[in-house]
Structures are given as structure tokens and as C-alpha cells.
């Protein structure tokens, strides 16, 4: 608690990567005879690992370990036949923060960020980071809170009268609870495809429901190809060339379990239902299905409610951001230069919401913050 140069909110992969680069820029400052910038990482969870802690038992990475690393230290190889499971990522993130002695405080939940100068003239120009463990006054705030804490469920007619179980991806803990049940999985992205594949051998009946026909990426496309495509798109855009981003490849990575469900077990998607009744779903063509449960694999929104008092400019449901000088990654708030965002997806840099892709936006952000705060001190 007290004064701090940089407050990072969130201790998952994005927060750790940013803290890693701040540690590195501090080393450079020290070599130049300058004091290091003080940094803290505040994380609401009891334990390390970010959202990976909540992954369902069959959740595996869509890339090998060598292509899922944070800066500085490769993810240890996974010896199983598949790509690494979520538990391997959790162990890696826990070891990573220890290895670099990153200044993580846990569990500390940030409840709101406000203008500090409003109540304290001496703190003018700082941001007050209010938490359940006290208040920090920060010169820069980096948000790395991810999206897992803000699940999104669309409003569908009849939801309130449906008497079965409804849950969102972030509550899904594996297929056992659905043995023999009739389940609808709603969502045409990776989570929807993977959960539908996971349920298929166990549930009585699985209806995979998507608003558009599913768009599989090629069977040879994994996270490495996605990262390379995203990197090429950034370079193309910077050079003024027409660019084809990751979205042009498809929506669903055909991991082995999904491939098997699609090719061998007959997993097929059907269009979105029109409404729900007490006991099931009704489609626009009048067909019906009895349901015991619905899994909403319908995505997430950035977990940024703690910033609501700052009145930041927003667009398409997220803060407007700009790239700091010399960087292609738009991680700085367009309306408050003290506020930064790392790891949320395309609006903070292509592939930035992946293990391998968060490194460059984190590096550019740490370097820009260090340069900006150093310039302030020299004035
Ligand atoms: P998180 O991991 O969510 O960490 C954010 C942290 O901030 C959490 O610990 C949270 O508790 C904390 N926090 C939130 N709000 C506050 C607050 N107010 N105060 C304090 N702390 C707070 N990526 C890959 O690279 N490969 C894959 O194979 C892959 N598969 C995926 C599969 C699924 C189903 C999903 C959903 C994502 C997948 N991703 C994958 C994407 C990505 O790597 C993860 O979403 C990743 O967890 C995002 O990391 P993060 O650090 O941004 O956020």
C-alpha cells in the first residue's frame, strides 16, 4: 500500500509478462544509475495461474509447449501424447512468477480506480487503486484482468421459464455432471466445439447450436500458425499492404478431440433456436428438442468494471486505445495516458490474448511506461 510507480491489475499471463518486462527495464535503469520503478501486481485469485486454473479437465492447449511460452523462459516440454493440459500452464505460470521474483500480491481484488487528486492535492496526477486490502497511489495502471471474470450470455426469449440447468463456459467443470442428460451447447467458437466434443461420449444427447455454420481452421493449423498469421497481419498493416488476419482462417482450431468428434462421432451443429420453453428449445422451423441443461459457450467481455469511475472513452464495448510511439500494439487508453491494457485480444494487439502473443504488447507497454515516467521525473 502507498505510493507506487506502476500498478498492474491482474496476475495471469498478461500481468506476469508485463511485470517481467518492467523488471528488465528496471535492470537497464539501474545500469544507467537510475532508481528502479516500483511495481506491484494485484491479483484477486488465491493462487497463481489466472483463468487457466478454471479450465475443465479435458482442456488442452492448441499448440505445443514450445509455442506457448512467456518471455524469458520456455514452457517446460510436455511429455504426454497430446498438447499440454491447462494444469501444465498453471504450473508454468506459478513457477514463472517465482523464477523472476515478480511482485505479485494475492489475493487482492481491485474494486475501483479513481482520480487521486480529487481528494488529496498531494496525490495530484496519480490514480488511486482501491482494493479489499487498502489503496495504492499509482503513476501508471496496467489492466491485465482478462475476460474470464465477465462471462457473456445473450438474451434469448424463454430463458427465464426454462426449468433445466443453465451454465456458462466458465462454470463448466467436465462432462460427468451431464451423464445421460439431454444438453444443448450454444456457441460456434473453440469453447463451444470443445465442450460439445467433451460431452458427446457421456451425455444422453448433445445439440451443438451455432448462429453461423461452424468454421473450422485447417487440421494442420495450430496456435503457432495463428500467431504467425497475426504477426504477418500487423506487419502488412504497418506497411500499408492489404492484410488477412486470423479471423480469415476460421473460428475453431481442430484440436484432436474436436476432430474426432467431427469425423468419427458425428458431431454436427444446428442453427440457433428461436426460443426456450420450460422443458426445451424451439427452432424457427417449428422443430423442438427436450433439454435438461444448456451450456452457454457464448464468450466473454473484458473484466474492466473497476475502471468505470474514470469515464474512459469507449468503442464497441471496450476502451479506445492507441499504440505508443514505435509500437504496433494499441495498449494505451486514448483518453487517459496513465491507463494501459494488455492481453485482451485484437483491440490490444492481434493474438495478445494468447500465451505466445502477449509478449510483444507487454514489452512495448513496459518500455513506453518506463520511458514516459522517466521523462516526467526529468522535467
Ligand atoms: P486471466 O488468465 O483471466 O488472468 C487475469 C487475472 O486477473 C485473474 O487471475 C483474475 O482473477 C485477475 N483479476 C480480474 N479482475 C481483477 C480485479 N478487479 N482485481 C484484481 N485481480 C483481478 N491461449 C493460448 O495461448 N493457447 C490456447 O490453447 C488457449 N486456449 C484457450 C481455451 C479457452 C477455452 C479459453 C477461454 C482461452 C484460451 N486461450 C488460449 C486464451 C488465453 O490464453 C487465456 O484467455 C488467458 O487466460 C488470458 O490471460 P490473461 O492474463 O489476459 O487473463
Amino acid at each position: 500500500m502507498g505510493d507506487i510507480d506502476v500498478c498492474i491489475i491482474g496476475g495471469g499471463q498478461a500481468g506476469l509478462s508485463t511485470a517481467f518486462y518492467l523488471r528488465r527495464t528496471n535492470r537497464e535503469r539501474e545500469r544507467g544509475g537510475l532508481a528502479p520503478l516500483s511495481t506491484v501486481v494485484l491479483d484477486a485469485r488465491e493462487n497463481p495461474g489466472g483463468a487457466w486454473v478454471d479450465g475443465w479437465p479435458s482442456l488442452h492447449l492448441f499448440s505445443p509447449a514450445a509455442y506457448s511460452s512467456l518471455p524469458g523462459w520456455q514452457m517446460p516440454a510436455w511429455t504426454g501424447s497430446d498438447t499440454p493440459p491447462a494444469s501444465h500452464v498453471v504450473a508454468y505460470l506459478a513457477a514463472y512468477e517465482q523464477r523472476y521474483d515478480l511482485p505479485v500480491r494475492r489475493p487482492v481484488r481491485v474494486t475501483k480506480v479513481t482520480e487521486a487528486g480529487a481528494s488529496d492535492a498531494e496525490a495530484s496526477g496519480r490514480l488511486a487503486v482501491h482494493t479489499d486490502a487498502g489503496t495504492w497511489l499509482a503513476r501508471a495502471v496496467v489492466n491485465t484482468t482478462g475476460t474470464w471474470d465477465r462471462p457473456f450470455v445473450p438474451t434469448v426469449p424463454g430463458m427465464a421459464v426454462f426449468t433445466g440447468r443453465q451454465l456458462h463456459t466458465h462454470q463448466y467443470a467436465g462432462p460427468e455432471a451431464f451423464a445421460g442428460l439431454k444438453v444443448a451447447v450454444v456457441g460456434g467458437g473453440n469453447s463451444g466445439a470443445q465442450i460439445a466434443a467433451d460431452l458427446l461420449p457421456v451425455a444422453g444427447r448433445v445439440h451443438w447450436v451455432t448462429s453461423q455454420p461452424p468454421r473450422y481452421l485447417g487440421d494442420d493449423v495450430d496456435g503457432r500458425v495463428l500467431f504467425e498469421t497475426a504477426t504477418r497481419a500487423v506487419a502488412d498493416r504497418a506497411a500499408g499492404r492489404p492484410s488477412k488476419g486470423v479471423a480469415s482462417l476460421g473460428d475453431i482450431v481442430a484440436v484432436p478431440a474436436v476432430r474426432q468428434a467431427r469425423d468419427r462421432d458425428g458431431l454436427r451443429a444446428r442453427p440457433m433456436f428461436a426460443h426456450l420453453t420450460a422443458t426445451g428449445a424451439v427452432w424457427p422451423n417449428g422443430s423442438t428438442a427436450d433439454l435438461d441443461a444448456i451450456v452457454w459457450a457464448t464468450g466473454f467481455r473484458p473484466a474492466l468494471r473497476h475502471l468505470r469511475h474514470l469515464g474512459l472513452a469507449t468503442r464497441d464495448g471496450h476502451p479506445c486505445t492507441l499504440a505508443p510511439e514505435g509500437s504496433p500494439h494499441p495498449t494505451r487508453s486514448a483518453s487517459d495516458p496513465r491507463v494501459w491494457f494488455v492481453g485482451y485480444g485484437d483491440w490490444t494487439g492481434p493474438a495478445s490474448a494468447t500465451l505466445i502473443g502477449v509478449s510483444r504488447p507487454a514489452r512495448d507497454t513496459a518500455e513506453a511506461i518506463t520511458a514516459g515516467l522517466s521523462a516526467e521525473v526529468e522535467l
Side-chain angles (χ1 to χ4, degrees), residues 12 41 67 92-93 110 114 116 130 133 166 184 232 270 334 342 345 350-351 354:
V41 182
Y67 290 90
Y92 170 60
L93 296 184
V110 174
T114 59
H130 305 265
Q166 297 189 57
R232 225 176 11 252
R270 54 190 300 188
V342 176
T354 63

Side-chain angles (χ1 to χ4, degrees), residues 24-332:
R24 199 172 78 172
T25 52
N26 270 341
R27 290 270 157 91
E28 285 158 16
R29 281 173 66 87
E30 283 174 314
R31 278 197 287 276
L34 296 170
L37 296 177
S38 54
T39 305
V40 69
V41 182
L42 306 178
D43 188 41
R45 286 174 179 266
E46 295 276 344
N47 298 303
W52 292 105
V53 172
D54 294 339
W56 52 91
S58 71
L59 178 62
H60 282 246
L61 287 176
F62 43 65
S63 310
Y67 290 90
S68 306
S69 298
L70 298 186
W73 181 43
Q74 280 251 315
M75 178 183 282
W78 170 249
T79 49
S81 58
D82 206 339
T83 52
S87 58
H88 190 66
V89 186
V90 172
Y92 170 60
L93 296 184
Y96 186 90
E97 64 182 57
Q98 278 192 1
R99 181 185 180 99
Y100 295 110
D101 195 21
L102 300 178
V104 185
R105 297 276 308 263
R106 207 181 259 123
V108 178
R109 176 165 290 281
V110 174
T111 49
K112 61 180 176 180
V113 178
T114 59
E115 191 65 58
S119 56
D120 176 358
E122 275 193 22
S124 177
R126 311 260 168 137
L127 290 166
V129 180
H130 305 265
T131 80
D132 52 11
T135 301
W136 275 262
L137 296 182
R139 298 166 72 202
V141 168
V142 189
N143 296 279
T144 57
T145 47
T147 57
W148 194 256
D149 287 353
R150 231 183 119 206
F152 171 75
V153 177
T155 304
V156 174
M159 279 173 98
V161 297
F162 178 63
T163 53
R165 183 174 173 209
Q166 297 189 57
L167 66 159
H168 185 271
T169 310
H170 86 296
Q171 297 157 307
Y172 178 72
E176 290 75 18
F178 302 90
L181 301 186
K182 298 182 277 297
V183 190
V185 180
V186 183
N190 285 303
S191 307
Q194 287 187 29
I195 292 175
D198 205 32
L199 288 169
L200 207 56
V202 177
R205 179 83 201 264
V206 177
H207 303 271
W208 181 28
V209 178
T210 63
S211 54
Q212 311 281 338
R215 294 195 315 144
Y216 291 99
L217 287 93
D219 287 0
D220 54 342
V221 172
D222 62 7
R224 174 183 24 182
V225 177
L226 296 178
F227 176 65
E228 283 162 4
T229 306
T231 307
R232 225 176 11 252
V234 171
D236 285 344
R237 275 204 293 277
R241 294 188 293 264
S243 74
K244 275 198 169 172
V246 169
S248 68
L249 300 178
D251 299 321
I252 301 169
V253 182
V255 294
V258 169
R259 254 190 339 247
Q260 175 178 322
R262 180 194 66 188
D263 299 341
R264 222 180 67 189
D265 304 334
L267 179 67
R268 296 283 171 269
R270 54 190 300 188
M272 184 61 188
F273 43 75
H275 67 271
L276 292 166
T277 65
T279 55
V282 181
W283 274 262
N285 66 2
S287 65
T288 60
D290 288 340
L291 296 174
D292 301 304
I294 302 171
V295 183
W296 296 99
T298 39
F300 298 85
R301 299 288 182 262
L304 293 171
R305 289 185 59 77
H306 58 280
L307 298 180
R308 62 196 177 282
H309 297 278
L310 293 180
L312 301 177
T314 59
R315 187 191 315 124
D316 301 333
H318 59 72
C320 299
T321 48
L322 299 171
E325 206 180 322
S327 166
H329 306 291
T331 59
R332 185 174 209 162

